[in-house]
Amino acid sequence: MDSRDTACRELLTAVAKAKKLDTTPSDNAREFWTEALTAFEHGGNEWVAGAAKNDEPQAAEGIREVLTGLSRLASAVSMIRSDLDAK
């Protein structure tokens, strides 16, 4: 799980940076953006904790939550694109 652990730690670093930005270019996308960051953060922490304990089920649950975050991020990007196209 070493490469996945490294990828997850990189994700958590990126989430921390994104949270500091505290802005989205679209008010419509804000909820999806926030849900994505929350899923990435919680899932990432579960992933790292599971990897540290060599607990595959916990790590897998974290991965599933990260995947949920990807879905929310895709929705946010779609809404941002739609808002920008409307301008």
Side-chain angles (χ1 to χ4, degrees), residues 1-31:
M1 286 204 294
D2 290 337
S3 64
R4 291 183 289 173
D5 184 50
T6 300
C8 187
R9 290 179 189 280
E10 290 172 1
L11 173 65
L12 289 171
T13 299
V15 167
K17 288 179 184 177
K19 288 178 95 174
K20 287 180 184 177
L21 296 175
D22 194 36
T23 186
T24 60
S26 165
D27 289 337
N28 293 327
R30 189 173 320 280
E31 184 177 342

Side-chain angles (χ1 to χ4, degrees), residues 2 6 9 12 15 18-19 24 28 32 37 43 45 51-54 56-57 59 62 66 74-76 81 85 87:
D2 290 337
T6 300
R9 290 179 189 280
L12 289 171
V15 167
K19 288 178 95 174
T24 60
N28 293 327
F32 288 111
L37 292 180
N45 285 324
K53 297 185 298 188
N54 211 16
E56 286 284 338
V66 167
S75 295
R81 183 180 308 132
D85 286 346
K87 291 183 179 183

